[in-house]
Amino acid sequence: MNTAVALLSFIIFLPALAAIVVAFLPKDKPEAAKLFTLFVTLVVFGVTLWVAIPRDPASDSLHFALGQPDMQLSVGLPWIEAFRIEYLLGLDGISFPLVLLTAFITLLSMWTSWNITKYVKAYCVLFLILETGMLGVFIALDFFLFYVFWEVMLLPMYFLIGVWGGPRREYAAIKFFLYTLLGSVFMLIAILMLYFSSDLRQLATEKNVALFAAAHPHLSNDAGKDADGQPLDSPLMQKFKEVQASEHPWHTFNILALQQIGQHTNDAEWLERLRAGGYDGDKHPFDEAVFLGKSVQWWAFVLLFIGFAIKVPSVPLHTWLPDAHVEAPTPISMILAGVLLKMGGYGILRICYPICPAAGYELAWAVCGVGVVSMVYGAFAALAQKDFKRLVAYSSVSHMGYVVLGLGVWSATQANGFNPYYWEQGVTGAMFQMIAHGISSPGMFFLVGVVYDRVHHRNLDEFGGLFGRMPLYSGLAIVIFFAGLGLPGLCGFIGEVLVTLSAWNFSKVLAVISAGVVILTAAYILWTIQRVYLGPEYKGPHGDHLTPITPREVAIVAPLVVTSIVLGVYPPAMLDYLKPSVDKTVVELATWTKDVQPYIGLDEEQMEEAQEEEKAKTAALLP
Amino acid sequence: MQGLADILPILLGAAWLLPLVSFVVIVFLGPRLGKAGVLAGYVASGAILGSFVLSAVAMLLWLGHHWPAGTHHEAHGAESHAADEHHAAGDSPKRARLQAVAFAADDAAPATHAADEHAAGADHGLADEHAERPAYAGTWYTMASFGPLELSVGYYIDALTVAMFTMVSLIATCIHFYATGYMHDELHDVTDHEVRMSDGRHLHRPGRYYRFFQYLSLFCFSMLGLVVSGNVFMVFMFWELVGICSYFLIGFYIERKSASTAANKAFIVNRVGDFGMIIGLMALWGSLGTLAFGDLPVVAGGKGDNSTATKAVRPGIFSLVRPAENHHALTTPDGMVRSAAAAAGVTDNAAAAEAGVVNDWRQQGLGYGLLVVAGLGIFCGCVGKSAQFPLHVWLPDAMEGPTPVSALVHSATMVAAGVYLVGRFYPVFTPEVLLVIAYTGGITLLMAATIAITATDIKRVLAYSTVSQLGYMMLALGAGGWLAGMLHLFTHAFFKSLLFLCSGSVIHAVHTNDMRQMGGLRSKMPYTAYTMLVGCLAIAGAGIPFLIGFSGYYSKDAIIAQLISFRNHNSGFHGVLFYVAAAGAATTAFYMFRLWYLTFAGRPRDHERYHHAHESPKVMYVPLMILATLAIVAAWTLPGTSLSLANVLEQARPAGEHGAGRWWTALVVPAEHLSHLGAVHVEATLIATIVAIAGFTLATVMYGLGVLNPDDVRQQFPRTYAFLRDKWYFDELYDYAFVRPTMLVSRLVAGFDKRWIDGFIDSLARWTRGLANIDDTIDRYLVDGLINRLADWTYGFGLYLRNVQTGRLREYVMLIAVGTVALFVLATFAVGLVLAG
């Protein structure tokens, strides 16, 4: 337990500590600061990779066990006791691949930062704080802690774009900041709404003891014995009893507890219990109407979704992205595309759906619609771009649309017999697409950066002939761009095809539209390749600066190329990590759809009637 | 039997992966392979030769286990043959027939299983049940699985697979060796005369010999992967991969704008087809939960499960759509019925579990629409890949690639993949879908043939000819002629690759594609001329009626016979398909001999080019001779045996007939053996021969003998000529109908982003700033203003008071005195007032 605390805290806070060290490094040695920062990112990546290597759990508990759907390495320490805010961390198949991706992309991005010459020390400090924020977002399991990390990541990003960016950097940085801040404010409102509606006592009943345990994976249920040999209460049971005995509602920020409360406590029996405890409503507190006749969870879902959709980014909340990408320096673009966008998808999967299933069920169409609109809109917009980086940015909008669609294809409905498999496929596809996009998109930005460093422009009409001038570079670029195009054998294909195929059972219309995007994607990627790499000669300025790609640049892009091929040819390499947890999440929601959803919004009598009806229906079918 | 199930996947798997090895080697070593990468050619050729050897071994093993049955060209062949077959199978358990499921890790079970099933099949007494249809399906590895849903890389090996492997690797081997000669210019620096730089010079660049073979190897790998695929998902993957190889190869001369544009066009138009294909995949996947062709063993309970006699089998698409218990009749699978019911909102899932309900729904036709959507969707992909109307526009442009590519990718193999997939997917197509396929093929056939008449670029004639011949195959398949279509796929592959390689040899000699600058080359390059003549005869379907002929004679005959049969079974308009086919046959003969005469006969029209022309090196014309031999004999029956391509393919004939449509009950897709009936057969042979002779004669009259001047004909029909020369204006139409609107929408979207969304955000920012300014103004002038004013007043008053403080005693005394008096007066006044009040 303690070692897990140390391990996860080490992963999260090593960069922050290193930032302090960098701040004290002598100012006249920028190379030292860069080298040190690179070393730190390498250590972080090394540690996460070490955690990822499958081992025998008996010999070594400090690793991520495959095939295990629950939270692993989870730890919890009291932090701000007055509000029951905890230092709650953990990894599962949904967060761990993203942590791995973060460490990987941060490492490559730092190495890309070699060209940074302005205020190097400050750059390194902010870069390291950014890494802490990003890792923290994926590892934190306490909603408040999550929010803190979310904000920690925001500020360094603002400065990294605003100080080290291109000509319109201030505009882009402020736009990025305000957009994200708006999302943060919405998120904060939602967090507080959920916090004050929650009551951990709802889980602390004999019937729900398993749910209580699931919400506290960091508490051991091993009962020790006291000095007299009398069995002691396990830490879990201690907490259980403490909560049970509480006279006042026990609000919680624990994301896992909120998930359990959101999904499992909406039956008549539960309401009865709640009333016995002095609660005078006739609904689950998350279902209580708060504003315009919509429930707490409806509003929480909408506010959270807007916050996350800004990050994804989904149309129409996406316009910060092209500006931020165009102005940000190459390494920061890589982080933006590779990691920051993933936080949106992660948040929707980890928070929106499991905590607010009723709202998610009601709004599934809206979510999927947003996804499909983003796919189509982003692809069309990409087709019209003249700026290389803007084009890649819009391709991100389009590709991340697949993620939103995949997360939302709630096909486990009664008509399909609550069959969760297609939805599992969609969510798995979305997760895979996040990883795949996290590989291909930073690669694309890096490759744009390589030519930008040489000729200092990004006008698509003023390239051409790069294949002749920089053959190795062009070869690598074509692989990465084809990964973005969704070519089989490369990583982009798997995510896209899983999502698209899964959409059919949710909505045939959306599925057909999403399938049509493959044409547009091919069009803008191939047209770009033609304009930049093919053709007889380079048409822009500074043609004599087009020197072959350097070994450092090859070393940065080669791992991305290799990863995209490995993931494309053998997707289980990643699916083995993420599938158990994704499956569990989806199966739980499918079970919720079956057991709880039909009774939402019914009062006690109606609910009983509905249950009777259901029983009669089943009985009639039996011989 | 069991041995075959084990060894075939290994053999074909190795044959499939060898070119990949070659690709990887060339990627990493490329230019270091000998001087300027000259060894790359041998690496790639060696790899594909290895593939061919492995495929040939597989073929021989296959024949050893499944010797093809007697000829089907005899009347009533199917029935009598089936009876024979039954006895043969009964005699020798080792040669047990019927669809066998391969269990890779199994010993004896499948043999008995198959034999049992055979015995059961004997009771039905249906001809179809007895047809030899061995197939081996299995999984190599799983890419992703979700509960029972599984996307995997696997194989489905039947006679068609093995034959395709042999054909593809054989042609590819010939073309690889040919290309080592054809591409030798790329071994040193190249001056590309088609590319002019901004300074007016021609492009000068290093050769890319090794890269050509790198792409070819990748293509072979992808193509063989497509053929071996055990499920539609894998087909789709390799479908895209062959597409991207084709993209690379069309755009091989990357400096030429026309080449890279043609490459883009090819890939994007194919993606339009793939869009439909994805919809088909979704319809299948969403309702059936499997994309596998054949039945696959369920690996439940781990590996120790092998001993159990009864094997759990997960039915593939074929078994679902053509269940054996329903005599392989087209049946809407349960999954589709339920899925459609769910969509219609009539479902109660628990009730659906009762088979009776599902059957009722099936009777009502629920789910049939899904089956149609699946079939049409898959066919859409084939339309793109096989360049069928309306997605044919990319193929002629694809001739921008080097000629060996045109021969391999754009005539013999990749473009035939669409036809192959239609053949593979045949059991799933409903009669309605088949009709769509037939008409698509018919339109394509006629359209492309007419364009070929006017083309002057030798490769474009062949390209349109390819489109037209692919249309032939689709037409045959759509009319129910599975074997006819498949046979034509094979024979066409041989003679069309031959024709392309010959044209390459000519281009190599005269350095132009324009037939108007050729002529009389026969004396200069006899090998090329006469092998090409063989190709022309083969494609025209030349032969001595009822006796013997070139390979095309057999396949074209079979197609026309099937169309006659189709016409006989369907009254009314559908008979037009037969006339289309006949007209197409005549046109084919015409434009092919036109090509031959223009190139090889007559007098040279460009003396300089003629003067420089020479026969190609041996490494180029030996492949021509091999292919010419194949173009003659490919469809022959080995004398004294029943071994022929048709009979081998017959083993892969999909189970079950199509019969009448459900939506269009008047539509009947006749069984193919009906086209072997004497009357039909004779009529077909005669018609095919007559139209071919007609076409040949016209070409000879116009171009061979010069009796009729083509220019006069052209002037007679200027409109028609322009219409054909401009390729029916498809490119222009698509440009206006699709490309421009797409670009317009994309600009609108980008503009919407800038103007509206960003405009909104920016105006929000402006409003906020404006508000802040107002706030600032209020602060500054009202709130602060008031305070300041007050302060000013106080200050001013203070200043004023300061004047009083002068420091002169006299004034102070005076002030005090005046003040006292004033106070006194005031006080008195006030007291008076108070008292008065």
Side-chain angles (χ1 to χ4, degrees), chain A residues 171 175 179 316 318-319 323 377 380-381 383-385 390 394 414-417 421-422 424-425 428 467 471 478 482 485-488 493-494 497-498 500-501 504-505 508 511-512 515-516 518-523 526-527 529-530 534-537 568-572 575 579 617 621, chain B residues 141-149 151 195 197-198 203 211 233 236-237 240-241 244 247-248 254-255 257 260-261 264 267-268 271-272 275 278-279 281-283 285-289 342-343 347-351 354 370 373 742-743 745-747 749-750 752-754 757-758 761-762:
Chain A
Y171 173 76
K175 204 169 175 184
Y179 255 110
H318 66 287
T319 61
D323 283 312
Y377 191 100
F380 268 119
L383 203 52
Q385 297 308 316
R390 257 189 125 73
Y394 275 108
Q414 187 178 14
N416 292 322
Y421 301 121
Y422 290 100
E424 258 174 36
Q425 183 192 343
T428 309
F467 214 118
I478 283 173
F482 280 156
L485 178 142
L487 189 72
F493 171 73
I494 305 291
V497 84
L498 290 183
T500 312
L501 287 185
W504 178 264
N505 276 359
K508 296 185 174 50
V512 168
V518 295
I519 304 170
L520 295 173
T521 312
L526 293 185
W527 195 26
I529 289 176
Q530 184 185 22
L534 310 183
E537 59 190 337
V569 174
Y570 192 70
L575 292 179
K579 253 192 79 32
K617 233 194 258 174
L621 288 168
Chain B
Y141 73 93
T142 302
M143 291 194 110
S145 64
F146 308 92
L149 314 176
L151 293 173
V195 181
M197 313 277 282
S198 51
L203 173 83
R211 187 156 287 145
F233 174 71
F236 182 72
M237 282 174 44
E240 293 277 292
L241 281 180
I244 211 71
Y247 164 86
F248 282 132
I254 53 172
E255 292 85 1
K257 178 96 197 232
S260 58
T261 307
N264 283 359
F267 196 82
I268 293 169
R271 276 252 161 147
V272 176
F275 166 48
I278 295 174
I279 295 175
L281 288 180
M282 292 193 293
W285 181 246
S287 57
L288 301 182
T347 181
D348 183 318
N349 199 66
E354 317 251 314
L370 265 179
V373 168
T742 305
M743 294 313 290
V745 171
S746 81
R747 276 195 298 276
V749 164
F752 183 80
D753 245 28
K754 260 214 175 80
I757 301 187
D758 270 6
I761 302 282
D762 291 348

Side-chain angles (χ1 to χ4, degrees), chain A residues 345-366:
Chain A
Y346 172 75
I348 295 170
L349 179 55
R350 169 75 83 218
I351 293 167
C352 284
Y353 275 104
I355 296 183
C356 313
Y361 185 81
E362 193 183 333
L363 294 169
W365 247 93

Side-chain angles (χ1 to χ4, degrees), chain B residues 85-328:
Chain B
E85 211 35 62
H86 181 209
H87 296 304
D91 295 343
S92 158
K94 256 204 134 182
R95 285 168 58 188
R97 309 294 154 99
L98 277 182
Q99 186 147 19
V101 180
F103 300 98
D106 197 66
D107 298 317
T112 49
H113 168 73
D116 289 350
E117 207 175 291
H118 190 264
D123 300 335
H124 298 305
L126 283 165
D128 190 55
E129 291 285 316
H130 297 268
E132 190 179 17
R133 217 172 290 120
Y136 307 95
T139 304
W140 274 312
Y141 73 93
T142 302
M143 291 194 110
S145 64
F146 308 92
L149 314 176
E150 205 169 272
L151 293 173
S152 57
V153 171
Y155 54 86
Y156 181 83
I157 298 171
D158 63 358
L160 180 61
T161 313
V162 180
M164 281 292 283
F165 252 78
T166 316
M167 181 271 279
V168 169
S169 58
L170 173 57
I171 292 182
T173 307
C174 289
I175 290 173
H176 270 73
F177 280 104
Y178 176 93
T180 55
Y182 187 87
M183 298 303 288
H184 75 89
D185 281 352
E186 292 283 342
L187 279 170
H188 41 75
D189 283 8
V190 178
T191 305
D192 193 331
H193 293 283
E194 293 194 21
V195 181
R196 204 172 273 280
M197 313 277 282
S198 51
D199 58 4
R201 286 178 302 143
H202 287 298
L203 173 83
H204 194 71
R205 62 168 172 86
R208 284 196 291 259
Y209 186 78
Y210 62 92
R211 187 156 287 145
F212 180 78
F213 286 97
Q214 171 187 328
Y215 296 150
L216 271 193
S217 283
L218 186 63
F219 171 76
C220 292
F221 160 72
S222 310
M223 185 66 211
L224 293 175
L226 199 162
V227 175
V228 81
S229 291
N231 57 67
V232 200
F233 174 71
M234 190 176 162
V235 167
F236 182 72
M237 282 174 44
F238 285 98
W239 196 259
E240 293 277 292
L241 281 180
V242 289
I244 211 71
C245 296
S246 151
Y247 164 86
F248 282 132
L249 288 164
I250 296 170
F252 181 74
Y253 300 113
I254 53 172
E255 292 85 1
R256 299 181 189 167
K257 178 96 197 232
S258 55
S260 58
T261 307
N264 283 359
K265 186 172 173 184
F267 196 82
I268 293 169
V269 171
N270 264 296
R271 276 252 161 147
V272 176
D274 292 347
F275 166 48
M277 190 164 171
I278 295 174
I279 295 175
L281 288 180
M282 292 193 293
L284 290 167
W285 181 246
S287 57
L288 301 182
T290 182
L291 292 175
F293 293 129
D295 303 345
L296 293 169
V298 175
V299 190
K303 288 180 180 170
D305 205 33
N306 283 341
S307 54
T308 34
T310 50
K311 270 285 177 188
V313 169
R314 182 118 202 271
I317 298 176
F318 293 165
S319 306
L320 288 172
V321 180
R322 303 276 183 170
E325 61 269 23
N326 202 8
H327 309 317
H328 303 294

Side-chain angles (χ1 to χ4, degrees), chain A residues 238-249:
Chain A
Q238 280 173 14
K239 172 112 181 191
F240 184 81
K241 285 180 179 163
E242 193 191 343
V243 173
Q244 207 174 24
S246 168
E247 288 181 8
H248 305 291

